[in-house]
Amino acid sequence: LLALVFVLSAFLDNIAGAVIGGVVARHVYRDRVGVGFIASIVAASNAGGAGSVVGDTTTTMMWLAGASPLDVLPAYIASTFAFAVFAGFGAWSQHRHAPIERHQGVEFRIDWSRVAIVGAVLVAIIGANVATNLYFPSLEEAVPVLGLAIWVALLAGLVARAPDWSIAPAAAKGGLFLVSLVATASMMPVESLPVATWPTTLGLGVLSSVFDNIPLTALALQQGGYDWALLAYAVGFGGSMIWFGSSAGVAITGLFPAGRSIVTWLKEGWHVPVAYGVGFAAYLVLRGWRPEVLAG
């Protein structure tokens, strides 16, 4: 399940990957999901999105700022090593908490109409970004092009499948909390970051667990001189260390309120910070520090 969340998050965004993983876990474990496994689901979603320009808000920001998708792709070096650490410990903690049970109900079928809607949304995101960069480079500074493209694709999808509006109130609470975090972080009196080095990047990852990574990424893009793949891993996966450190964590704790305890998250999800350090070290050993100059 964690491996599936990892892969899905590269294509569907880390929030979607985490929520899908949480829904599946709730079903197969009959609502008995441990906080350690919840933390692992968030970690899997953030690790899977770290190397994809559509997998995380921060990597999309890098893409919009001129980074090539190939610039952030090496983040999967760190993510893979991190996954090898947290996935095993996370799965074992869940097995001790509540072993998986074979489903005895009706057979599940793939709703290809919904799959097509997801595909259309991805095509809209990529198409809008490419067309804007090629033909209207200044438009994205005045108009939220990607957001509009997503909404157009979703509204068009209403013809095939209606959304489940019953979950909107709960989702709105999580969305409001997330927006509040970003707004609060953006008002902090931080105008610049330390010199771009790998220790600075390591620290930004740790800071991302308690300070929203979007403003941090914006400051890093303004400053320049970072290894964008390593930064994508740091600020993306680093937010997994505490539940409100990433959008995926905020989203999944809407399904599992027990995860909103910082103490419990750190106690049962201890393997996530360890995995962060292992992945970061593995990247430096295998690839080294490679700062890039953005094209945009």
Side-chain angles (χ1 to χ4, degrees), residues 1-25 28-29 37 40-49 55 76 79 83-84 86-88 91 100 110 252:
L1 176 58
L2 295 175
L4 289 174
V5 171
F6 184 100
V7 174
L8 283 174
S9 297
F11 303 97
L12 301 182
D13 180 79
N14 58 345
I15 302 176
V19 171
I20 291 172
V23 171
V24 173
V28 298
Y29 291 112
F37 194 61
S40 296
I41 293 175
V42 173
S45 68
N46 288 331
Y76 282 128
S79 292
F83 181 86
F86 73 77
I100 195 170
I110 297 176
I252 201 171

Side-chain angles (χ1 to χ4, degrees), residues 211-288:
F211 189 93
D212 190 83
N213 56 11
I214 294 176
L216 292 177
T217 303
L219 288 173
L221 290 169
Q222 293 175 7
Q223 179 177 341
Y226 280 89
D227 182 328
W228 302 112
L230 188 58
L231 180 68
Y233 166 77
V235 298
F237 186 80
S240 311
M241 291 188 277
I242 295 180
W243 71 270
F244 57 81
S246 70
S247 305
V250 174
I252 201 171
T253 50
L255 298 173
F256 304 100
R260 291 176 179 161
S261 168
I262 297 177
V263 174
T264 305
W265 189 279
L266 292 174
K267 181 180 179 181
E268 298 189 22
W270 59 269
H271 46 275
V272 175
V274 173
Y276 172 72
V278 170
F280 198 97
Y283 182 97
L284 289 177
V285 170
L286 296 176
R287 194 168 187 264

Side-chain angles (χ1 to χ4, degrees), residues 11-13 53-55 60 63-64 117-133 145-151 153-154:
F11 303 97
L12 301 182
D13 180 79
V53 292
V54 295
T60 302
W63 187 26
L64 292 174
I117 292 172
V118 172
V121 171
L122 290 175
V123 170
I125 293 173
I126 296 172
N129 187 60
V130 172
T132 302
N133 287 334
V145 178
L146 291 187
L148 291 175
I150 292 172
W151 274 109
L154 290 176

Side-chain angles (χ1 to χ4, degrees), residues 96-117:
R96 289 184 299 169
H97 181 78
I100 195 170
E101 298 180 16
R102 183 179 295 276
H103 181 67
Q104 300 296 333
V106 297
E107 180 182 357
F108 288 100
R109 298 182 182 276
I110 297 176
D111 188 336
W112 291 107
S113 295
R114 294 188 184 277
V115 174
I117 292 172

Side-chain angles (χ1 to χ4, degrees), residues 201-217:
T201 306
L202 178 68
L204 288 178
V206 177
L207 185 59
S208 293
S209 65
V210 294
F211 189 93
D212 190 83
N213 56 11
I214 294 176
L216 292 177
T217 303

